[in-house]
Amino acid sequence: MIEHISLRCRDSRKSRKFYEQALAPLGYGVDREYGDAFGFVQGGRHDFWVTKGKVGTPTHVAFHADAPSAVDAFYAAAIDAGGKDNGAPGMREDYGYAAFVLDPDGHNVEAVIWQEDLAPAKGRRGGSKSRRGRRKARRS
């Protein structure tokens, strides 16, 4: 399990404002501040940070959503916060329901709900494991 991710940003205060707005629909808020570093909390854990630093190759960060409506709200909030479209909300074949936005530093930020976590399709039998459950079972 990842403890936290720290994303380097040219202007961490500008990025804080972007991520505060973009991640609010996913239940994130700022809970820690250390100088030019800002920690975001969701579900009791501060697992995402924006930190002032040199931006190298843009990074891809994906946040789990609990419903397609949360993906839609993330996308709208991120665009409203100044993000650039990098893939409007929608189903991706063999993937799930996702949306992609470029943040102020060009990082590719995603919100996704896996296909297996969406409401079961008609005729699908119960007991199917999620993608995470299948990965965990393979490692055992």
Side-chain angles (χ1 to χ4, degrees), residues 14-49:
K14 180 178 180 180
S15 292
R16 173 190 175 159
K17 290 178 184 176
F18 170 81
Y19 282 105
E20 277 183 307
Q21 189 170 341
L23 298 181
L26 302 177
Y28 276 86
V30 173
D31 78 329
R32 303 246 172 120
E33 182 174 333
Y34 295 105
D36 284 333
F38 304 97
F40 289 76
V41 65
Q42 190 265 356
R45 295 194 47 83
H46 58 281
D47 56 6
F48 179 69
W49 290 77

PDB file of all heavy atoms in Angstrom, residues 14-49:
ATOM      1  N   LYS A  14      -0.387  27.662  -6.143  1.00  0.00           N
ATOM      2  CA  LYS A  14      -1.311  27.615  -7.275  1.00  0.00           C
ATOM      3  C   LYS A  14      -1.848  26.184  -7.440  1.00  0.00           C
ATOM      4  O   LYS A  14      -3.046  25.986  -7.656  1.00  0.00           O
ATOM      5  CB  LYS A  14      -0.597  28.060  -8.559  1.00  0.00           C
ATOM      6  CG  LYS A  14      -1.467  28.048  -9.791  1.00  0.00           C
ATOM      7  CD  LYS A  14      -0.694  28.547 -11.005  1.00  0.00           C
ATOM      8  CE  LYS A  14      -1.554  28.533 -12.249  1.00  0.00           C
ATOM      9  NZ  LYS A  14      -0.804  29.016 -13.419  1.00  0.00           N
ATOM     10  N   SER A  15      -0.957  25.207  -7.308  1.00  0.00           N
ATOM     11  CA  SER A  15      -1.382  23.813  -7.423  1.00  0.00           C
ATOM     12  C   SER A  15      -2.312  23.421  -6.288  1.00  0.00           C
ATOM     13  O   SER A  15      -3.254  22.657  -6.483  1.00  0.00           O
ATOM     14  CB  SER A  15      -0.164  22.888  -7.462  1.00  0.00           C
ATOM     15  OG  SER A  15       0.540  23.079  -8.666  1.00  0.00           O
ATOM     16  N   ARG A  16      -2.055  23.946  -5.077  1.00  0.00           N
ATOM     17  CA  ARG A  16      -2.966  23.667  -3.954  1.00  0.00           C
ATOM     18  C   ARG A  16      -4.380  24.101  -4.316  1.00  0.00           C
ATOM     19  O   ARG A  16      -5.337  23.346  -4.117  1.00  0.00           O
ATOM     20  CB  ARG A  16      -2.502  24.402  -2.700  1.00  0.00           C
ATOM     21  CG  ARG A  16      -3.506  24.278  -1.564  1.00  0.00           C
ATOM     22  CD  ARG A  16      -3.216  25.174  -0.390  1.00  0.00           C
ATOM     23  NE  ARG A  16      -4.295  25.072   0.577  1.00  0.00           N
ATOM     24  CZ  ARG A  16      -4.173  25.390   1.834  1.00  0.00           C
ATOM     25  NH1 ARG A  16      -3.030  25.841   2.318  1.00  0.00           N
ATOM     26  NH2 ARG A  16      -5.209  25.282   2.639  1.00  0.00           N
ATOM     27  N   LYS A  17      -4.531  25.303  -4.846  1.00  0.00           N
ATOM     28  CA  LYS A  17      -5.865  25.793  -5.215  1.00  0.00           C
ATOM     29  C   LYS A  17      -6.505  24.897  -6.272  1.00  0.00           C
ATOM     30  O   LYS A  17      -7.693  24.572  -6.189  1.00  0.00           O
ATOM     31  CB  LYS A  17      -5.784  27.236  -5.712  1.00  0.00           C
ATOM     32  CG  LYS A  17      -5.469  28.229  -4.618  1.00  0.00           C
ATOM     33  CD  LYS A  17      -5.344  29.637  -5.161  1.00  0.00           C
ATOM     34  CE  LYS A  17      -4.922  30.590  -4.066  1.00  0.00           C
ATOM     35  NZ  LYS A  17      -4.690  31.935  -4.553  1.00  0.00           N
ATOM     36  N   PHE A  18      -5.713  24.499  -7.279  1.00  0.00           N
ATOM     37  CA  PHE A  18      -6.230  23.610  -8.325  1.00  0.00           C
ATOM     38  C   PHE A  18      -6.714  22.298  -7.713  1.00  0.00           C
ATOM     39  O   PHE A  18      -7.834  21.858  -7.950  1.00  0.00           O
ATOM     40  CB  PHE A  18      -5.149  23.343  -9.377  1.00  0.00           C
ATOM     41  CG  PHE A  18      -5.535  22.262 -10.349  1.00  0.00           C
ATOM     42  CD1 PHE A  18      -6.361  22.545 -11.429  1.00  0.00           C
ATOM     43  CD2 PHE A  18      -5.108  20.955 -10.173  1.00  0.00           C
ATOM     44  CE1 PHE A  18      -6.740  21.549 -12.323  1.00  0.00           C
ATOM     45  CE2 PHE A  18      -5.477  19.952 -11.062  1.00  0.00           C
ATOM     46  CZ  PHE A  18      -6.299  20.249 -12.134  1.00  0.00           C
ATOM     47  N   TYR A  19      -5.855  21.639  -6.922  1.00  0.00           N
ATOM     48  CA  TYR A  19      -6.212  20.330  -6.378  1.00  0.00           C
ATOM     49  C   TYR A  19      -7.311  20.405  -5.321  1.00  0.00           C
ATOM     50  O   TYR A  19      -8.128  19.489  -5.208  1.00  0.00           O
ATOM     51  CB  TYR A  19      -4.972  19.610  -5.846  1.00  0.00           C
ATOM     52  CG  TYR A  19      -4.159  19.016  -6.971  1.00  0.00           C
ATOM     53  CD1 TYR A  19      -2.969  19.602  -7.382  1.00  0.00           C
ATOM     54  CD2 TYR A  19      -4.604  17.895  -7.650  1.00  0.00           C
ATOM     55  CE1 TYR A  19      -2.243  19.071  -8.438  1.00  0.00           C
ATOM     56  CE2 TYR A  19      -3.883  17.357  -8.703  1.00  0.00           C
ATOM     57  CZ  TYR A  19      -2.703  17.948  -9.085  1.00  0.00           C
ATOM     58  OH  TYR A  19      -1.999  17.418 -10.130  1.00  0.00           O
ATOM     59  N   GLU A  20      -7.368  21.482  -4.555  1.00  0.00           N
ATOM     60  CA  GLU A  20      -8.473  21.637  -3.596  1.00  0.00           C
ATOM     61  C   GLU A  20      -9.809  21.577  -4.330  1.00  0.00           C
ATOM     62  O   GLU A  20     -10.737  20.894  -3.904  1.00  0.00           O
ATOM     63  CB  GLU A  20      -8.364  22.961  -2.836  1.00  0.00           C
ATOM     64  CG  GLU A  20      -7.438  22.908  -1.664  1.00  0.00           C
ATOM     65  CD  GLU A  20      -7.398  24.207  -0.896  1.00  0.00           C
ATOM     66  OE1 GLU A  20      -7.153  25.281  -1.512  1.00  0.00           O
ATOM     67  OE2 GLU A  20      -7.600  24.163   0.318  1.00  0.00           O
ATOM     68  N   GLN A  21      -9.904  22.292  -5.430  1.00  0.00           N
ATOM     69  CA  GLN A  21     -11.147  22.337  -6.193  1.00  0.00           C
ATOM     70  C   GLN A  21     -11.383  21.040  -6.964  1.00  0.00           C
ATOM     71  O   GLN A  21     -12.481  20.485  -6.941  1.00  0.00           O
ATOM     72  CB  GLN A  21     -11.121  23.529  -7.151  1.00  0.00           C
ATOM     73  CG  GLN A  21     -12.445  23.795  -7.820  1.00  0.00           C
ATOM     74  CD  GLN A  21     -12.444  25.114  -8.577  1.00  0.00           C
ATOM     75  OE1 GLN A  21     -11.608  25.985  -8.333  1.00  0.00           O
ATOM     76  NE2 GLN A  21     -13.371  25.264  -9.493  1.00  0.00           N
ATOM     77  N   ALA A  22     -10.340  20.541  -7.630  1.00  0.00           N
ATOM     78  CA  ALA A  22     -10.494  19.351  -8.468  1.00  0.00           C
ATOM     79  C   ALA A  22     -10.791  18.095  -7.660  1.00  0.00           C
ATOM     80  O   ALA A  22     -11.558  17.230  -8.102  1.00  0.00           O
ATOM     81  CB  ALA A  22      -9.227  19.137  -9.300  1.00  0.00           C
ATOM     82  N   LEU A  23     -10.208  17.968  -6.476  1.00  0.00           N
ATOM     83  CA  LEU A  23     -10.357  16.734  -5.692  1.00  0.00           C
ATOM     84  C   LEU A  23     -11.486  16.772  -4.670  1.00  0.00           C
ATOM     85  O   LEU A  23     -11.810  15.744  -4.069  1.00  0.00           O
ATOM     86  CB  LEU A  23      -9.038  16.399  -4.987  1.00  0.00           C
ATOM     87  CG  LEU A  23      -7.847  16.133  -5.908  1.00  0.00           C
ATOM     88  CD1 LEU A  23      -6.608  15.798  -5.081  1.00  0.00           C
ATOM     89  CD2 LEU A  23      -8.154  15.035  -6.916  1.00  0.00           C
ATOM     90  N   ALA A  24     -12.111  17.934  -4.484  1.00  0.00           N
ATOM     91  CA  ALA A  24     -13.231  18.023  -3.535  1.00  0.00           C
ATOM     92  C   ALA A  24     -14.340  17.016  -3.856  1.00  0.00           C
ATOM     93  O   ALA A  24     -14.862  16.362  -2.939  1.00  0.00           O
ATOM     94  CB  ALA A  24     -13.782  19.448  -3.477  1.00  0.00           C
ATOM     95  N   PRO A  25     -14.723  16.819  -5.134  1.00  0.00           N
ATOM     96  CA  PRO A  25     -15.774  15.837  -5.422  1.00  0.00           C
ATOM     97  C   PRO A  25     -15.386  14.397  -5.069  1.00  0.00           C
ATOM     98  O   PRO A  25     -16.249  13.532  -4.946  1.00  0.00           O
ATOM     99  CB  PRO A  25     -15.985  15.961  -6.940  1.00  0.00           C
ATOM    100  CG  PRO A  25     -15.497  17.322  -7.292  1.00  0.00           C
ATOM    101  CD  PRO A  25     -14.357  17.576  -6.348  1.00  0.00           C
ATOM    102  N   LEU A  26     -14.090  14.139  -4.882  1.00  0.00           N
ATOM    103  CA  LEU A  26     -13.625  12.796  -4.518  1.00  0.00           C
ATOM    104  C   LEU A  26     -13.405  12.679  -3.014  1.00  0.00           C
ATOM    105  O   LEU A  26     -12.903  11.667  -2.522  1.00  0.00           O
ATOM    106  CB  LEU A  26     -12.333  12.469  -5.266  1.00  0.00           C
ATOM    107  CG  LEU A  26     -12.431  12.528  -6.792  1.00  0.00           C
ATOM    108  CD1 LEU A  26     -11.072  12.248  -7.417  1.00  0.00           C
ATOM    109  CD2 LEU A  26     -13.477  11.549  -7.313  1.00  0.00           C
ATOM    110  N   GLY A  27     -13.774  13.721  -2.269  1.00  0.00           N
ATOM    111  CA  GLY A  27     -13.694  13.681  -0.817  1.00  0.00           C
ATOM    112  C   GLY A  27     -12.362  14.131  -0.232  1.00  0.00           C
ATOM    113  O   GLY A  27     -12.103  13.924   0.948  1.00  0.00           O
ATOM    114  N   TYR A  28     -11.504  14.780  -1.020  1.00  0.00           N
ATOM    115  CA  TYR A  28     -10.204  15.246  -0.533  1.00  0.00           C
ATOM    116  C   TYR A  28     -10.276  16.690  -0.059  1.00  0.00           C
ATOM    117  O   TYR A  28     -11.006  17.505  -0.613  1.00  0.00           O
ATOM    118  CB  TYR A  28      -9.151  15.171  -1.649  1.00  0.00           C
ATOM    119  CG  TYR A  28      -8.515  13.824  -1.819  1.00  0.00           C
ATOM    120  CD1 TYR A  28      -9.113  12.860  -2.604  1.00  0.00           C
ATOM    121  CD2 TYR A  28      -7.299  13.518  -1.197  1.00  0.00           C
ATOM    122  CE1 TYR A  28      -8.526  11.614  -2.775  1.00  0.00           C
ATOM    123  CE2 TYR A  28      -6.712  12.281  -1.359  1.00  0.00           C
ATOM    124  CZ  TYR A  28      -7.326  11.331  -2.149  1.00  0.00           C
ATOM    125  OH  TYR A  28      -6.748  10.103  -2.308  1.00  0.00           O
ATOM    126  N   GLY A  29      -9.468  17.016   0.940  1.00  0.00           N
ATOM    127  CA  GLY A  29      -9.293  18.377   1.417  1.00  0.00           C
ATOM    128  C   GLY A  29      -7.897  18.516   2.002  1.00  0.00           C
ATOM    129  O   GLY A  29      -7.275  17.525   2.376  1.00  0.00           O
ATOM    130  N   VAL A  30      -7.397  19.737   2.108  1.00  0.00           N
ATOM    131  CA  VAL A  30      -6.071  19.964   2.682  1.00  0.00           C
ATOM    132  C   VAL A  30      -6.158  19.795   4.189  1.00  0.00           C
ATOM    133  O   VAL A  30      -7.027  20.368   4.834  1.00  0.00           O
ATOM    134  CB  VAL A  30      -5.545  21.373   2.325  1.00  0.00           C
ATOM    135  CG1 VAL A  30      -4.251  21.685   3.062  1.00  0.00           C
ATOM    136  CG2 VAL A  30      -5.332  21.498   0.834  1.00  0.00           C
ATOM    137  N   ASP A  31      -5.242  18.971   4.749  1.00  0.00           N
ATOM    138  CA  ASP A  31      -5.236  18.793   6.204  1.00  0.00           C
ATOM    139  C   ASP A  31      -3.880  19.102   6.832  1.00  0.00           C
ATOM    140  O   ASP A  31      -3.774  19.195   8.040  1.00  0.00           O
ATOM    141  CB  ASP A  31      -5.673  17.382   6.588  1.00  0.00           C
ATOM    142  CG  ASP A  31      -4.579  16.350   6.403  1.00  0.00           C
ATOM    143  OD1 ASP A  31      -3.749  16.519   5.499  1.00  0.00           O
ATOM    144  OD2 ASP A  31      -4.552  15.375   7.167  1.00  0.00           O
ATOM    145  N   ARG A  32      -2.846  19.256   6.010  1.00  0.00           N
ATOM    146  CA  ARG A  32      -1.523  19.549   6.545  1.00  0.00           C
ATOM    147  C   ARG A  32      -0.836  20.574   5.657  1.00  0.00           C
ATOM    148  O   ARG A  32      -1.020  20.595   4.448  1.00  0.00           O
ATOM    149  CB  ARG A  32      -0.664  18.286   6.586  1.00  0.00           C
ATOM    150  CG  ARG A  32      -1.271  17.170   7.390  1.00  0.00           C
ATOM    151  CD  ARG A  32      -0.453  16.868   8.611  1.00  0.00           C
ATOM    152  NE  ARG A  32      -1.169  15.932   9.458  1.00  0.00           N
ATOM    153  CZ  ARG A  32      -0.713  14.740   9.788  1.00  0.00           C
ATOM    154  NH1 ARG A  32       0.445  14.342   9.331  1.00  0.00           N
ATOM    155  NH2 ARG A  32      -1.397  13.972  10.589  1.00  0.00           N
ATOM    156  N   GLU A  33      -0.001  21.396   6.298  1.00  0.00           N
ATOM    157  CA  GLU A  33       0.754  22.402   5.563  1.00  0.00           C
ATOM    158  C   GLU A  33       2.125  22.531   6.219  1.00  0.00           C
ATOM    159  O   GLU A  33       2.210  22.754   7.423  1.00  0.00           O
ATOM    160  CB  GLU A  33       0.010  23.740   5.613  1.00  0.00           C
ATOM    161  CG  GLU A  33       0.659  24.841   4.851  1.00  0.00           C
ATOM    162  CD  GLU A  33      -0.187  26.109   4.810  1.00  0.00           C
ATOM    163  OE1 GLU A  33      -1.414  26.020   4.907  1.00  0.00           O
ATOM    164  OE2 GLU A  33       0.424  27.179   4.685  1.00  0.00           O
ATOM    165  N   TYR A  34       3.176  22.323   5.430  1.00  0.00           N
ATOM    166  CA  TYR A  34       4.550  22.494   5.883  1.00  0.00           C
ATOM    167  C   TYR A  34       5.249  23.396   4.889  1.00  0.00           C
ATOM    168  O   TYR A  34       5.708  22.937   3.841  1.00  0.00           O
ATOM    169  CB  TYR A  34       5.282  21.145   5.966  1.00  0.00           C
ATOM    170  CG  TYR A  34       4.709  20.208   7.001  1.00  0.00           C
ATOM    171  CD1 TYR A  34       3.934  19.128   6.612  1.00  0.00           C
ATOM    172  CD2 TYR A  34       4.934  20.425   8.363  1.00  0.00           C
ATOM    173  CE1 TYR A  34       3.398  18.266   7.557  1.00  0.00           C
ATOM    174  CE2 TYR A  34       4.394  19.568   9.311  1.00  0.00           C
ATOM    175  CZ  TYR A  34       3.639  18.490   8.902  1.00  0.00           C
ATOM    176  OH  TYR A  34       3.108  17.648   9.845  1.00  0.00           O
ATOM    177  N   GLY A  35       5.309  24.683   5.180  1.00  0.00           N
ATOM    178  CA  GLY A  35       5.928  25.636   4.258  1.00  0.00           C
ATOM    179  C   GLY A  35       5.229  25.620   2.917  1.00  0.00           C
ATOM    180  O   GLY A  35       4.049  25.972   2.826  1.00  0.00           O
ATOM    181  N   ASP A  36       5.936  25.191   1.869  1.00  0.00           N
ATOM    182  CA  ASP A  36       5.370  25.132   0.522  1.00  0.00           C
ATOM    183  C   ASP A  36       4.878  23.736   0.150  1.00  0.00           C
ATOM    184  O   ASP A  36       4.742  23.417  -1.029  1.00  0.00           O
ATOM    185  CB  ASP A  36       6.399  25.597  -0.516  1.00  0.00           C
ATOM    186  CG  ASP A  36       6.555  27.111  -0.524  1.00  0.00           C
ATOM    187  OD1 ASP A  36       5.594  27.811  -0.157  1.00  0.00           O
ATOM    188  OD2 ASP A  36       7.646  27.596  -0.891  1.00  0.00           O
ATOM    189  N   ALA A  37       4.613  22.893   1.151  1.00  0.00           N
ATOM    190  CA  ALA A  37       4.075  21.550   0.919  1.00  0.00           C
ATOM    191  C   ALA A  37       2.692  21.457   1.554  1.00  0.00           C
ATOM    192  O   ALA A  37       2.489  21.904   2.684  1.00  0.00           O
ATOM    193  CB  ALA A  37       5.002  20.494   1.504  1.00  0.00           C
ATOM    194  N   PHE A  38       1.752  20.869   0.803  1.00  0.00           N
ATOM    195  CA  PHE A  38       0.372  20.780   1.258  1.00  0.00           C
ATOM    196  C   PHE A  38      -0.101  19.338   1.173  1.00  0.00           C
ATOM    197  O   PHE A  38      -0.030  18.717   0.121  1.00  0.00           O
ATOM    198  CB  PHE A  38      -0.531  21.685   0.410  1.00  0.00           C
ATOM    199  CG  PHE A  38      -0.072  23.117   0.416  1.00  0.00           C
ATOM    200  CD1 PHE A  38       0.712  23.612  -0.611  1.00  0.00           C
ATOM    201  CD2 PHE A  38      -0.380  23.942   1.485  1.00  0.00           C
ATOM    202  CE1 PHE A  38       1.170  24.918  -0.595  1.00  0.00           C
ATOM    203  CE2 PHE A  38       0.073  25.254   1.516  1.00  0.00           C
ATOM    204  CZ  PHE A  38       0.844  25.747   0.474  1.00  0.00           C
ATOM    205  N   GLY A  39      -0.590  18.810   2.299  1.00  0.00           N
ATOM    206  CA  GLY A  39      -1.069  17.438   2.365  1.00  0.00           C
ATOM    207  C   GLY A  39      -2.589  17.379   2.291  1.00  0.00           C
ATOM    208  O   GLY A  39      -3.275  18.117   2.989  1.00  0.00           O
ATOM    209  N   PHE A  40      -3.089  16.494   1.444  1.00  0.00           N
ATOM    210  CA  PHE A  40      -4.527  16.316   1.264  1.00  0.00           C
ATOM    211  C   PHE A  40      -4.968  15.045   1.961  1.00  0.00           C
ATOM    212  O   PHE A  40      -4.291  14.021   1.909  1.00  0.00           O
ATOM    213  CB  PHE A  40      -4.866  16.221  -0.230  1.00  0.00           C
ATOM    214  CG  PHE A  40      -4.714  17.529  -0.954  1.00  0.00           C
ATOM    215  CD1 PHE A  40      -3.461  18.017  -1.291  1.00  0.00           C
ATOM    216  CD2 PHE A  40      -5.832  18.274  -1.304  1.00  0.00           C
ATOM    217  CE1 PHE A  40      -3.311  19.218  -1.958  1.00  0.00           C
ATOM    218  CE2 PHE A  40      -5.691  19.486  -1.974  1.00  0.00           C
ATOM    219  CZ  PHE A  40      -4.429  19.956  -2.297  1.00  0.00           C
ATOM    220  N   VAL A  41      -6.130  15.100   2.590  1.00  0.00           N
ATOM    221  CA  VAL A  41      -6.678  13.958   3.326  1.00  0.00           C
ATOM    222  C   VAL A  41      -7.959  13.474   2.657  1.00  0.00           C
ATOM    223  O   VAL A  41      -8.737  14.273   2.119  1.00  0.00           O
ATOM    224  CB  VAL A  41      -6.939  14.315   4.813  1.00  0.00           C
ATOM    225  CG1 VAL A  41      -8.019  15.377   4.944  1.00  0.00           C
ATOM    226  CG2 VAL A  41      -7.289  13.082   5.625  1.00  0.00           C
ATOM    227  N   GLN A  42      -8.148  12.169   2.677  1.00  0.00           N
ATOM    228  CA  GLN A  42      -9.393  11.556   2.215  1.00  0.00           C
ATOM    229  C   GLN A  42      -9.522  10.262   2.988  1.00  0.00           C
ATOM    230  O   GLN A  42      -8.574   9.488   3.079  1.00  0.00           O
ATOM    231  CB  GLN A  42      -9.341  11.285   0.709  1.00  0.00           C
ATOM    232  CG  GLN A  42     -10.660  10.870   0.091  1.00  0.00           C
ATOM    233  CD  GLN A  42     -10.836   9.374  -0.007  1.00  0.00           C
ATOM    234  OE1 GLN A  42      -9.966   8.592   0.307  1.00  0.00           O
ATOM    235  NE2 GLN A  42     -12.012   8.985  -0.441  1.00  0.00           N
ATOM    236  N   GLY A  43     -10.681  10.036   3.589  1.00  0.00           N
ATOM    237  CA  GLY A  43     -10.891   8.811   4.349  1.00  0.00           C
ATOM    238  C   GLY A  43      -9.952   8.670   5.535  1.00  0.00           C
ATOM    239  O   GLY A  43      -9.575   7.562   5.889  1.00  0.00           O
ATOM    240  N   GLY A  44      -9.538   9.779   6.125  1.00  0.00           N
ATOM    241  CA  GLY A  44      -8.690   9.738   7.301  1.00  0.00           C
ATOM    242  C   GLY A  44      -7.193   9.660   7.029  1.00  0.00           C
ATOM    243  O   GLY A  44      -6.399   9.652   7.959  1.00  0.00           O
ATOM    244  N   ARG A  45      -6.781   9.598   5.762  1.00  0.00           N
ATOM    245  CA  ARG A  45      -5.355   9.491   5.427  1.00  0.00           C
ATOM    246  C   ARG A  45      -4.925  10.683   4.566  1.00  0.00           C
ATOM    247  O   ARG A  45      -5.617  11.048   3.637  1.00  0.00           O
ATOM    248  CB  ARG A  45      -5.086   8.201   4.659  1.00  0.00           C
ATOM    249  CG  ARG A  45      -5.350   6.959   5.500  1.00  0.00           C
ATOM    250  CD  ARG A  45      -4.787   5.718   4.876  1.00  0.00           C
ATOM    251  NE  ARG A  45      -3.428   5.841   4.411  1.00  0.00           N
ATOM    252  CZ  ARG A  45      -2.338   5.709   5.175  1.00  0.00           C
ATOM    253  NH1 ARG A  45      -2.460   5.480   6.443  1.00  0.00           N
ATOM    254  NH2 ARG A  45      -1.142   5.799   4.638  1.00  0.00           N
ATOM    255  N   HIS A  46      -3.777  11.241   4.902  1.00  0.00           N
ATOM    256  CA  HIS A  46      -3.213  12.329   4.080  1.00  0.00           C
ATOM    257  C   HIS A  46      -2.203  11.682   3.130  1.00  0.00           C
ATOM    258  O   HIS A  46      -1.018  11.629   3.375  1.00  0.00           O
ATOM    259  CB  HIS A  46      -2.590  13.426   4.941  1.00  0.00           C
ATOM    260  CG  HIS A  46      -1.498  12.975   5.852  1.00  0.00           C
ATOM    261  ND1 HIS A  46      -1.732  12.341   7.048  1.00  0.00           N
ATOM    262  CD2 HIS A  46      -0.166  13.032   5.721  1.00  0.00           C
ATOM    263  CE1 HIS A  46      -0.597  12.038   7.614  1.00  0.00           C
ATOM    264  NE2 HIS A  46       0.390  12.447   6.832  1.00  0.00           N
ATOM    265  N   ASP A  47      -2.710  11.198   2.007  1.00  0.00           N
ATOM    266  CA  ASP A  47      -1.896  10.384   1.103  1.00  0.00           C
ATOM    267  C   ASP A  47      -1.464  11.088  -0.169  1.00  0.00           C
ATOM    268  O   ASP A  47      -0.754  10.516  -0.980  1.00  0.00           O
ATOM    269  CB  ASP A  47      -2.629   9.086   0.746  1.00  0.00           C
ATOM    270  CG  ASP A  47      -4.006   9.319   0.145  1.00  0.00           C
ATOM    271  OD1 ASP A  47      -4.374  10.481  -0.106  1.00  0.00           O
ATOM    272  OD2 ASP A  47      -4.714   8.329  -0.068  1.00  0.00           O
ATOM    273  N   PHE A  48      -1.853  12.330  -0.349  1.00  0.00           N
ATOM    274  CA  PHE A  48      -1.473  13.061  -1.557  1.00  0.00           C
ATOM    275  C   PHE A  48      -0.945  14.429  -1.150  1.00  0.00           C
ATOM    276  O   PHE A  48      -1.586  15.146  -0.376  1.00  0.00           O
ATOM    277  CB  PHE A  48      -2.670  13.200  -2.499  1.00  0.00           C
ATOM    278  CG  PHE A  48      -2.353  13.960  -3.757  1.00  0.00           C
ATOM    279  CD1 PHE A  48      -1.514  13.423  -4.723  1.00  0.00           C
ATOM    280  CD2 PHE A  48      -2.878  15.219  -3.973  1.00  0.00           C
ATOM    281  CE1 PHE A  48      -1.198  14.125  -5.878  1.00  0.00           C
ATOM    282  CE2 PHE A  48      -2.581  15.933  -5.126  1.00  0.00           C
ATOM    283  CZ  PHE A  48      -1.740  15.379  -6.079  1.00  0.00           C
ATOM    284  N   TRP A  49       0.227  14.778  -1.669  1.00  0.00           N
ATOM    285  CA  TRP A  49       0.872  16.050  -1.344  1.00  0.00           C
ATOM    286  C   TRP A  49       1.251  16.789  -2.622  1.00  0.00           C
ATOM    287  O   TRP A  49       1.609  16.165  -3.615  1.00  0.00           O
ATOM    288  CB  TRP A  49       2.161  15.794  -0.558  1.00  0.00           C
ATOM    289  CG  TRP A  49       1.925  15.283   0.816  1.00  0.00           C
ATOM    290  CD1 TRP A  49       1.570  14.007   1.166  1.00  0.00           C
ATOM    291  CD2 TRP A  49       2.015  16.020   2.021  1.00  0.00           C
ATOM    292  NE1 TRP A  49       1.440  13.915   2.518  1.00  0.00           N
ATOM    293  CE2 TRP A  49       1.712  15.137   3.074  1.00  0.00           C
ATOM    294  CE3 TRP A  49       2.338  17.342   2.320  1.00  0.00           C
ATOM    295  CZ2 TRP A  49       1.717  15.546   4.402  1.00  0.00           C
ATOM    296  CZ3 TRP A  49       2.343  17.749   3.644  1.00  0.00           C
ATOM    297  CH2 TRP A  49       2.034  16.849   4.670  1.00  0.00           C
TER     298      TRP A  49
END
